[in-house]
Amino acid sequence: MIIDSVLYCMHIVSWNSKADISSALVSWKRRKQLLRETITALHADIYCLQETQKNQLDFLMEGMSGYAYVGVGRDDGKEKGEYCPIIYNQEKMHLILQGTFWLSDTPDVPSKGYDTYPRICTWATFDDGLNETPITIYNTHFPLAFHFSAKKNAVNVLLDHIGLDMTNPIIVAGDFNARPQS
């Protein structure tokens, strides 16, 4: 008896790269080489980074031959502000669709939602060449606000984007600004 099933075997890494800001505990200048070496040594199919600025993303991509990324800056929908990039191995993962939306009441335009900062979610749908169904990856950075309603609103925006059709597999990665017990 043969049973058809979808079996995904992917190596996915989620990592908050911490923005390149002067008040950081350990400066970007001191940690950037180690971060690039650590990430590239993992040889993942997909990397979901959070809190990554354009200069950081450019530096990381210089050391990642065969990889590309999707994502935009949260402040202007282009290059300004932090990204939640999805970096993917171009030999294994074939990009079908991609986009970014804001965790706000106006998710289609750069906007501040339920937190002090704009928050985004980058998504991408891939065909891995091995499975009949594509897979969609969501990468986000949730509000830091400690009141429950900010995170609940962000979850609702995310769920609205995902929709009710769960016929294809999805993975949600990110910095959820949550404690381990939550």
PDB file of all heavy atoms in Angstrom, residues 83-115:
ATOM      1  N   TYR A  83      14.667  45.196   8.994  1.00  0.00           N
ATOM      2  CA  TYR A  83      14.065  44.193   8.121  1.00  0.00           C
ATOM      3  C   TYR A  83      13.736  42.950   8.949  1.00  0.00           C
ATOM      4  O   TYR A  83      14.330  42.713  10.002  1.00  0.00           O
ATOM      5  CB  TYR A  83      15.068  43.719   7.064  1.00  0.00           C
ATOM      6  CG  TYR A  83      15.411  44.667   5.962  1.00  0.00           C
ATOM      7  CD1 TYR A  83      15.896  45.947   6.200  1.00  0.00           C
ATOM      8  CD2 TYR A  83      15.304  44.254   4.644  1.00  0.00           C
ATOM      9  CE1 TYR A  83      16.258  46.788   5.162  1.00  0.00           C
ATOM     10  CE2 TYR A  83      15.663  45.090   3.590  1.00  0.00           C
ATOM     11  CZ  TYR A  83      16.141  46.358   3.861  1.00  0.00           C
ATOM     12  OH  TYR A  83      16.499  47.183   2.826  1.00  0.00           O
ATOM     13  N   CYS A  84      12.873  42.130   8.401  1.00  0.00           N
ATOM     14  CA  CYS A  84      12.674  40.747   8.828  1.00  0.00           C
ATOM     15  C   CYS A  84      12.920  39.902   7.579  1.00  0.00           C
ATOM     16  O   CYS A  84      11.998  39.309   7.016  1.00  0.00           O
ATOM     17  CB  CYS A  84      11.263  40.512   9.371  1.00  0.00           C
ATOM     18  SG  CYS A  84      10.963  41.172  10.997  1.00  0.00           S
ATOM     19  N   PRO A  85      14.164  39.843   7.109  1.00  0.00           N
ATOM     20  CA  PRO A  85      14.422  39.185   5.836  1.00  0.00           C
ATOM     21  C   PRO A  85      14.295  37.665   5.936  1.00  0.00           C
ATOM     22  O   PRO A  85      14.522  37.065   6.984  1.00  0.00           O
ATOM     23  CB  PRO A  85      15.866  39.583   5.532  1.00  0.00           C
ATOM     24  CG  PRO A  85      16.488  39.734   6.874  1.00  0.00           C
ATOM     25  CD  PRO A  85      15.397  40.321   7.739  1.00  0.00           C
ATOM     26  N   ILE A  86      13.920  37.090   4.824  1.00  0.00           N
ATOM     27  CA  ILE A  86      13.969  35.640   4.649  1.00  0.00           C
ATOM     28  C   ILE A  86      15.075  35.395   3.637  1.00  0.00           C
ATOM     29  O   ILE A  86      14.963  35.798   2.472  1.00  0.00           O
ATOM     30  CB  ILE A  86      12.627  35.074   4.161  1.00  0.00           C
ATOM     31  CG1 ILE A  86      11.522  35.354   5.193  1.00  0.00           C
ATOM     32  CG2 ILE A  86      12.746  33.580   3.882  1.00  0.00           C
ATOM     33  CD1 ILE A  86      10.124  34.988   4.732  1.00  0.00           C
ATOM     34  N   ILE A  87      16.133  34.775   4.091  1.00  0.00           N
ATOM     35  CA  ILE A  87      17.279  34.459   3.239  1.00  0.00           C
ATOM     36  C   ILE A  87      17.140  32.989   2.845  1.00  0.00           C
ATOM     37  O   ILE A  87      16.903  32.140   3.705  1.00  0.00           O
ATOM     38  CB  ILE A  87      18.601  34.700   3.998  1.00  0.00           C
ATOM     39  CG1 ILE A  87      18.697  36.162   4.445  1.00  0.00           C
ATOM     40  CG2 ILE A  87      19.800  34.313   3.136  1.00  0.00           C
ATOM     41  CD1 ILE A  87      19.862  36.449   5.396  1.00  0.00           C
ATOM     42  N   TYR A  88      17.296  32.695   1.572  1.00  0.00           N
ATOM     43  CA  TYR A  88      17.050  31.316   1.123  1.00  0.00           C
ATOM     44  C   TYR A  88      18.150  30.835   0.172  1.00  0.00           C
ATOM     45  O   TYR A  88      18.747  31.607  -0.567  1.00  0.00           O
ATOM     46  CB  TYR A  88      15.674  31.197   0.467  1.00  0.00           C
ATOM     47  CG  TYR A  88      15.496  32.058  -0.766  1.00  0.00           C
ATOM     48  CD1 TYR A  88      15.664  31.531  -2.039  1.00  0.00           C
ATOM     49  CD2 TYR A  88      15.157  33.407  -0.654  1.00  0.00           C
ATOM     50  CE1 TYR A  88      15.494  32.315  -3.161  1.00  0.00           C
ATOM     51  CE2 TYR A  88      14.991  34.198  -1.772  1.00  0.00           C
ATOM     52  CZ  TYR A  88      15.167  33.647  -3.024  1.00  0.00           C
ATOM     53  OH  TYR A  88      15.017  34.438  -4.134  1.00  0.00           O
ATOM     54  N   ASN A  89      18.373  29.528   0.218  1.00  0.00           N
ATOM     55  CA  ASN A  89      19.328  28.864  -0.654  1.00  0.00           C
ATOM     56  C   ASN A  89      18.691  28.746  -2.034  1.00  0.00           C
ATOM     57  O   ASN A  89      17.719  28.014  -2.212  1.00  0.00           O
ATOM     58  CB  ASN A  89      19.658  27.479  -0.080  1.00  0.00           C
ATOM     59  CG  ASN A  89      20.683  26.735  -0.902  1.00  0.00           C
ATOM     60  OD1 ASN A  89      20.762  26.874  -2.110  1.00  0.00           O
ATOM     61  ND2 ASN A  89      21.470  25.924  -0.219  1.00  0.00           N
ATOM     62  N   GLN A  90      19.244  29.441  -3.003  1.00  0.00           N
ATOM     63  CA  GLN A  90      18.657  29.494  -4.337  1.00  0.00           C
ATOM     64  C   GLN A  90      18.724  28.159  -5.077  1.00  0.00           C
ATOM     65  O   GLN A  90      17.957  27.935  -5.999  1.00  0.00           O
ATOM     66  CB  GLN A  90      19.349  30.566  -5.177  1.00  0.00           C
ATOM     67  CG  GLN A  90      19.060  31.961  -4.686  1.00  0.00           C
ATOM     68  CD  GLN A  90      19.775  32.994  -5.525  1.00  0.00           C
ATOM     69  OE1 GLN A  90      20.997  33.090  -5.492  1.00  0.00           O
ATOM     70  NE2 GLN A  90      19.012  33.768  -6.279  1.00  0.00           N
ATOM     71  N   GLU A  91      19.641  27.297  -4.689  1.00  0.00           N
ATOM     72  CA  GLU A  91      19.740  25.995  -5.348  1.00  0.00           C
ATOM     73  C   GLU A  91      18.646  25.038  -4.873  1.00  0.00           C
ATOM     74  O   GLU A  91      18.240  24.152  -5.608  1.00  0.00           O
ATOM     75  CB  GLU A  91      21.117  25.378  -5.117  1.00  0.00           C
ATOM     76  CG  GLU A  91      22.230  26.132  -5.803  1.00  0.00           C
ATOM     77  CD  GLU A  91      23.586  25.522  -5.545  1.00  0.00           C
ATOM     78  OE1 GLU A  91      23.663  24.368  -5.071  1.00  0.00           O
ATOM     79  OE2 GLU A  91      24.582  26.208  -5.806  1.00  0.00           O
ATOM     80  N   LYS A  92      18.186  25.212  -3.622  1.00  0.00           N
ATOM     81  CA  LYS A  92      17.182  24.306  -3.065  1.00  0.00           C
ATOM     82  C   LYS A  92      15.774  24.876  -3.060  1.00  0.00           C
ATOM     83  O   LYS A  92      14.803  24.143  -3.163  1.00  0.00           O
ATOM     84  CB  LYS A  92      17.558  23.934  -1.627  1.00  0.00           C
ATOM     85  CG  LYS A  92      18.796  23.081  -1.514  1.00  0.00           C
ATOM     86  CD  LYS A  92      19.013  22.685  -0.077  1.00  0.00           C
ATOM     87  CE  LYS A  92      20.201  21.765   0.066  1.00  0.00           C
ATOM     88  NZ  LYS A  92      20.388  21.359   1.459  1.00  0.00           N
ATOM     89  N   MET A  93      15.659  26.164  -2.893  1.00  0.00           N
ATOM     90  CA  MET A  93      14.358  26.798  -2.728  1.00  0.00           C
ATOM     91  C   MET A  93      14.098  27.749  -3.897  1.00  0.00           C
ATOM     92  O   MET A  93      14.899  28.640  -4.158  1.00  0.00           O
ATOM     93  CB  MET A  93      14.309  27.577  -1.407  1.00  0.00           C
ATOM     94  CG  MET A  93      14.727  26.784  -0.175  1.00  0.00           C
ATOM     95  SD  MET A  93      13.788  25.288   0.120  1.00  0.00           S
ATOM     96  CE  MET A  93      12.176  25.964   0.451  1.00  0.00           C
ATOM     97  N   HIS A  94      12.987  27.549  -4.571  1.00  0.00           N
ATOM     98  CA  HIS A  94      12.637  28.384  -5.719  1.00  0.00           C
ATOM     99  C   HIS A  94      11.494  29.311  -5.314  1.00  0.00           C
ATOM    100  O   HIS A  94      10.396  28.853  -4.992  1.00  0.00           O
ATOM    101  CB  HIS A  94      12.258  27.510  -6.907  1.00  0.00           C
ATOM    102  CG  HIS A  94      13.313  26.492  -7.221  1.00  0.00           C
ATOM    103  ND1 HIS A  94      14.484  26.816  -7.869  1.00  0.00           N
ATOM    104  CD2 HIS A  94      13.407  25.181  -6.902  1.00  0.00           C
ATOM    105  CE1 HIS A  94      15.237  25.737  -7.971  1.00  0.00           C
ATOM    106  NE2 HIS A  94      14.624  24.733  -7.389  1.00  0.00           N
ATOM    107  N   LEU A  95      11.763  30.594  -5.338  1.00  0.00           N
ATOM    108  CA  LEU A  95      10.805  31.601  -4.908  1.00  0.00           C
ATOM    109  C   LEU A  95       9.632  31.684  -5.887  1.00  0.00           C
ATOM    110  O   LEU A  95       9.828  31.806  -7.091  1.00  0.00           O
ATOM    111  CB  LEU A  95      11.506  32.961  -4.798  1.00  0.00           C
ATOM    112  CG  LEU A  95      10.664  34.129  -4.306  1.00  0.00           C
ATOM    113  CD1 LEU A  95      10.219  33.905  -2.858  1.00  0.00           C
ATOM    114  CD2 LEU A  95      11.466  35.427  -4.419  1.00  0.00           C
ATOM    115  N   ILE A  96       8.415  31.628  -5.330  1.00  0.00           N
ATOM    116  CA  ILE A  96       7.202  31.736  -6.134  1.00  0.00           C
ATOM    117  C   ILE A  96       6.565  33.118  -5.934  1.00  0.00           C
ATOM    118  O   ILE A  96       6.281  33.820  -6.898  1.00  0.00           O
ATOM    119  CB  ILE A  96       6.187  30.635  -5.765  1.00  0.00           C
ATOM    120  CG1 ILE A  96       6.795  29.252  -6.031  1.00  0.00           C
ATOM    121  CG2 ILE A  96       4.885  30.815  -6.541  1.00  0.00           C
ATOM    122  CD1 ILE A  96       5.947  28.106  -5.510  1.00  0.00           C
ATOM    123  N   LEU A  97       6.316  33.480  -4.689  1.00  0.00           N
ATOM    124  CA  LEU A  97       5.703  34.758  -4.330  1.00  0.00           C
ATOM    125  C   LEU A  97       6.360  35.279  -3.066  1.00  0.00           C
ATOM    126  O   LEU A  97       6.893  34.497  -2.277  1.00  0.00           O
ATOM    127  CB  LEU A  97       4.199  34.592  -4.050  1.00  0.00           C
ATOM    128  CG  LEU A  97       3.294  34.195  -5.191  1.00  0.00           C
ATOM    129  CD1 LEU A  97       1.913  33.826  -4.658  1.00  0.00           C
ATOM    130  CD2 LEU A  97       3.175  35.329  -6.199  1.00  0.00           C
ATOM    131  N   GLN A  98       6.265  36.589  -2.844  1.00  0.00           N
ATOM    132  CA  GLN A  98       6.820  37.164  -1.617  1.00  0.00           C
ATOM    133  C   GLN A  98       6.204  38.522  -1.359  1.00  0.00           C
ATOM    134  O   GLN A  98       5.655  39.138  -2.261  1.00  0.00           O
ATOM    135  CB  GLN A  98       8.347  37.254  -1.695  1.00  0.00           C
ATOM    136  CG  GLN A  98       8.901  38.087  -2.845  1.00  0.00           C
ATOM    137  CD  GLN A  98       9.066  39.559  -2.519  1.00  0.00           C
ATOM    138  OE1 GLN A  98       9.184  39.945  -1.367  1.00  0.00           O
ATOM    139  NE2 GLN A  98       9.045  40.398  -3.538  1.00  0.00           N
ATOM    140  N   GLY A  99       6.322  38.948  -0.109  1.00  0.00           N
ATOM    141  CA  GLY A  99       5.821  40.268   0.237  1.00  0.00           C
ATOM    142  C   GLY A  99       6.095  40.598   1.693  1.00  0.00           C
ATOM    143  O   GLY A  99       6.646  39.790   2.439  1.00  0.00           O
ATOM    144  N   THR A 100       5.708  41.788   2.071  1.00  0.00           N
ATOM    145  CA  THR A 100       5.838  42.254   3.452  1.00  0.00           C
ATOM    146  C   THR A 100       4.558  42.987   3.806  1.00  0.00           C
ATOM    147  O   THR A 100       4.002  43.705   2.973  1.00  0.00           O
ATOM    148  CB  THR A 100       7.046  43.205   3.600  1.00  0.00           C
ATOM    149  OG1 THR A 100       8.244  42.487   3.282  1.00  0.00           O
ATOM    150  CG2 THR A 100       7.149  43.749   5.026  1.00  0.00           C
ATOM    151  N   PHE A 101       4.086  42.792   5.026  1.00  0.00           N
ATOM    152  CA  PHE A 101       2.956  43.569   5.515  1.00  0.00           C
ATOM    153  C   PHE A 101       3.268  44.064   6.914  1.00  0.00           C
ATOM    154  O   PHE A 101       4.143  43.541   7.605  1.00  0.00           O
ATOM    155  CB  PHE A 101       1.639  42.781   5.460  1.00  0.00           C
ATOM    156  CG  PHE A 101       1.633  41.486   6.215  1.00  0.00           C
ATOM    157  CD1 PHE A 101       1.209  41.420   7.531  1.00  0.00           C
ATOM    158  CD2 PHE A 101       2.035  40.316   5.594  1.00  0.00           C
ATOM    159  CE1 PHE A 101       1.191  40.220   8.226  1.00  0.00           C
ATOM    160  CE2 PHE A 101       2.015  39.101   6.274  1.00  0.00           C
ATOM    161  CZ  PHE A 101       1.591  39.058   7.595  1.00  0.00           C
ATOM    162  N   TRP A 102       2.564  45.114   7.311  1.00  0.00           N
ATOM    163  CA  TRP A 102       2.791  45.763   8.595  1.00  0.00           C
ATOM    164  C   TRP A 102       1.780  45.250   9.608  1.00  0.00           C
ATOM    165  O   TRP A 102       0.603  45.036   9.286  1.00  0.00           O
ATOM    166  CB  TRP A 102       2.703  47.278   8.441  1.00  0.00           C
ATOM    167  CG  TRP A 102       3.968  47.822   7.852  1.00  0.00           C
ATOM    168  CD1 TRP A 102       4.959  48.483   8.535  1.00  0.00           C
ATOM    169  CD2 TRP A 102       4.418  47.729   6.501  1.00  0.00           C
ATOM    170  NE1 TRP A 102       5.989  48.788   7.684  1.00  0.00           N
ATOM    171  CE2 TRP A 102       5.686  48.327   6.423  1.00  0.00           C
ATOM    172  CE3 TRP A 102       3.885  47.167   5.348  1.00  0.00           C
ATOM    173  CZ2 TRP A 102       6.416  48.407   5.249  1.00  0.00           C
ATOM    174  CZ3 TRP A 102       4.604  47.230   4.172  1.00  0.00           C
ATOM    175  CH2 TRP A 102       5.853  47.848   4.135  1.00  0.00           C
ATOM    176  N   LEU A 103       2.231  45.046  10.821  1.00  0.00           N
ATOM    177  CA  LEU A 103       1.355  44.605  11.900  1.00  0.00           C
ATOM    178  C   LEU A 103       0.659  45.844  12.453  1.00  0.00           C
ATOM    179  O   LEU A 103       1.054  46.415  13.470  1.00  0.00           O
ATOM    180  CB  LEU A 103       2.165  43.874  12.974  1.00  0.00           C
ATOM    181  CG  LEU A 103       2.956  42.660  12.467  1.00  0.00           C
ATOM    182  CD1 LEU A 103       3.766  42.042  13.590  1.00  0.00           C
ATOM    183  CD2 LEU A 103       2.038  41.632  11.822  1.00  0.00           C
ATOM    184  N   SER A 104      -0.358  46.258  11.727  1.00  0.00           N
ATOM    185  CA  SER A 104      -1.079  47.498  12.051  1.00  0.00           C
ATOM    186  C   SER A 104      -2.486  47.421  11.459  1.00  0.00           C
ATOM    187  O   SER A 104      -2.825  46.444  10.781  1.00  0.00           O
ATOM    188  CB  SER A 104      -0.339  48.706  11.475  1.00  0.00           C
ATOM    189  OG  SER A 104      -0.512  48.763  10.071  1.00  0.00           O
ATOM    190  N   ASP A 105      -3.243  48.452  11.674  1.00  0.00           N
ATOM    191  CA  ASP A 105      -4.581  48.526  11.089  1.00  0.00           C
ATOM    192  C   ASP A 105      -4.539  48.807   9.592  1.00  0.00           C
ATOM    193  O   ASP A 105      -5.553  48.681   8.912  1.00  0.00           O
ATOM    194  CB  ASP A 105      -5.420  49.597  11.800  1.00  0.00           C
ATOM    195  CG  ASP A 105      -5.739  49.213  13.238  1.00  0.00           C
ATOM    196  OD1 ASP A 105      -5.786  47.998  13.547  1.00  0.00           O
ATOM    197  OD2 ASP A 105      -5.937  50.121  14.065  1.00  0.00           O
ATOM    198  N   THR A 106      -3.363  49.215   9.082  1.00  0.00           N
ATOM    199  CA  THR A 106      -3.169  49.442   7.647  1.00  0.00           C
ATOM    200  C   THR A 106      -1.976  48.605   7.179  1.00  0.00           C
ATOM    201  O   THR A 106      -0.891  49.135   6.919  1.00  0.00           O
ATOM    202  CB  THR A 106      -2.942  50.942   7.358  1.00  0.00           C
ATOM    203  OG1 THR A 106      -1.855  51.415   8.178  1.00  0.00           O
ATOM    204  CG2 THR A 106      -4.191  51.753   7.655  1.00  0.00           C
ATOM    205  N   PRO A 107      -2.153  47.283   7.068  1.00  0.00           N
ATOM    206  CA  PRO A 107      -1.031  46.385   6.815  1.00  0.00           C
ATOM    207  C   PRO A 107      -0.369  46.507   5.444  1.00  0.00           C
ATOM    208  O   PRO A 107       0.754  46.027   5.269  1.00  0.00           O
ATOM    209  CB  PRO A 107      -1.651  44.993   6.981  1.00  0.00           C
ATOM    210  CG  PRO A 107      -3.108  45.181   6.808  1.00  0.00           C
ATOM    211  CD  PRO A 107      -3.417  46.574   7.231  1.00  0.00           C
ATOM    212  N   ASP A 108      -1.022  47.165   4.496  1.00  0.00           N
ATOM    213  CA  ASP A 108      -0.464  47.249   3.145  1.00  0.00           C
ATOM    214  C   ASP A 108       0.447  48.440   2.921  1.00  0.00           C
ATOM    215  O   ASP A 108       1.013  48.583   1.834  1.00  0.00           O
ATOM    216  CB  ASP A 108      -1.605  47.281   2.121  1.00  0.00           C
ATOM    217  CG  ASP A 108      -2.410  45.987   2.146  1.00  0.00           C
ATOM    218  OD1 ASP A 108      -1.828  44.928   2.433  1.00  0.00           O
ATOM    219  OD2 ASP A 108      -3.623  46.053   1.893  1.00  0.00           O
ATOM    220  N   VAL A 109       0.581  49.306   3.931  1.00  0.00           N
ATOM    221  CA  VAL A 109       1.447  50.482   3.793  1.00  0.00           C
ATOM    222  C   VAL A 109       2.332  50.607   5.031  1.00  0.00           C
ATOM    223  O   VAL A 109       1.946  50.183   6.125  1.00  0.00           O
ATOM    224  CB  VAL A 109       0.628  51.781   3.611  1.00  0.00           C
ATOM    225  CG1 VAL A 109      -0.150  51.754   2.308  1.00  0.00           C
ATOM    226  CG2 VAL A 109      -0.293  52.026   4.775  1.00  0.00           C
ATOM    227  N   PRO A 110       3.529  51.158   4.868  1.00  0.00           N
ATOM    228  CA  PRO A 110       4.382  51.351   6.049  1.00  0.00           C
ATOM    229  C   PRO A 110       3.625  52.124   7.122  1.00  0.00           C
ATOM    230  O   PRO A 110       3.109  53.213   6.866  1.00  0.00           O
ATOM    231  CB  PRO A 110       5.565  52.152   5.500  1.00  0.00           C
ATOM    232  CG  PRO A 110       5.627  51.779   4.049  1.00  0.00           C
ATOM    233  CD  PRO A 110       4.183  51.606   3.643  1.00  0.00           C
ATOM    234  N   SER A 111       3.528  51.520   8.306  1.00  0.00           N
ATOM    235  CA  SER A 111       2.720  52.124   9.359  1.00  0.00           C
ATOM    236  C   SER A 111       3.086  51.564  10.727  1.00  0.00           C
ATOM    237  O   SER A 111       3.543  50.437  10.849  1.00  0.00           O
ATOM    238  CB  SER A 111       1.236  51.892   9.088  1.00  0.00           C
ATOM    239  OG  SER A 111       0.977  50.522   8.835  1.00  0.00           O
ATOM    240  N   LYS A 112       2.865  52.392  11.724  1.00  0.00           N
ATOM    241  CA  LYS A 112       3.063  51.978  13.105  1.00  0.00           C
ATOM    242  C   LYS A 112       1.746  51.394  13.593  1.00  0.00           C
ATOM    243  O   LYS A 112       0.687  51.970  13.363  1.00  0.00           O
ATOM    244  CB  LYS A 112       3.459  53.177  13.956  1.00  0.00           C
ATOM    245  CG  LYS A 112       3.999  52.816  15.315  1.00  0.00           C
ATOM    246  CD  LYS A 112       4.311  54.038  16.151  1.00  0.00           C
ATOM    247  CE  LYS A 112       5.376  54.898  15.518  1.00  0.00           C
ATOM    248  NZ  LYS A 112       5.784  56.026  16.368  1.00  0.00           N
ATOM    249  N   GLY A 113       1.839  50.282  14.299  1.00  0.00           N
ATOM    250  CA  GLY A 113       0.617  49.636  14.735  1.00  0.00           C
ATOM    251  C   GLY A 113       0.386  49.711  16.221  1.00  0.00           C
ATOM    252  O   GLY A 113      -0.086  50.712  16.745  1.00  0.00           O
ATOM    253  N   TYR A 114       0.799  48.700  16.913  1.00  0.00           N
ATOM    254  CA  TYR A 114       0.417  48.500  18.308  1.00  0.00           C
ATOM    255  C   TYR A 114       1.609  48.610  19.250  1.00  0.00           C
ATOM    256  O   TYR A 114       1.609  48.056  20.329  1.00  0.00           O
ATOM    257  CB  TYR A 114      -0.251  47.130  18.441  1.00  0.00           C
ATOM    258  CG  TYR A 114      -1.200  46.854  17.301  1.00  0.00           C
ATOM    259  CD1 TYR A 114      -0.893  45.931  16.311  1.00  0.00           C
ATOM    260  CD2 TYR A 114      -2.397  47.564  17.200  1.00  0.00           C
ATOM    261  CE1 TYR A 114      -1.768  45.705  15.257  1.00  0.00           C
ATOM    262  CE2 TYR A 114      -3.266  47.348  16.139  1.00  0.00           C
ATOM    263  CZ  TYR A 114      -2.944  46.407  15.180  1.00  0.00           C
ATOM    264  OH  TYR A 114      -3.789  46.199  14.130  1.00  0.00           O
ATOM    265  N   ASP A 115       2.629  49.318  18.821  1.00  0.00           N
ATOM    266  CA  ASP A 115       3.885  49.384  19.545  1.00  0.00           C
ATOM    267  C   ASP A 115       4.528  50.741  19.277  1.00  0.00           C
ATOM    268  O   ASP A 115       4.051  51.524  18.450  1.00  0.00           O
ATOM    269  CB  ASP A 115       4.795  48.252  19.045  1.00  0.00           C
ATOM    270  CG  ASP A 115       5.988  47.958  19.930  1.00  0.00           C
ATOM    271  OD1 ASP A 115       6.089  48.516  21.029  1.00  0.00           O
ATOM    272  OD2 ASP A 115       6.835  47.144  19.520  1.00  0.00           O
TER     273      ASP A 115
END
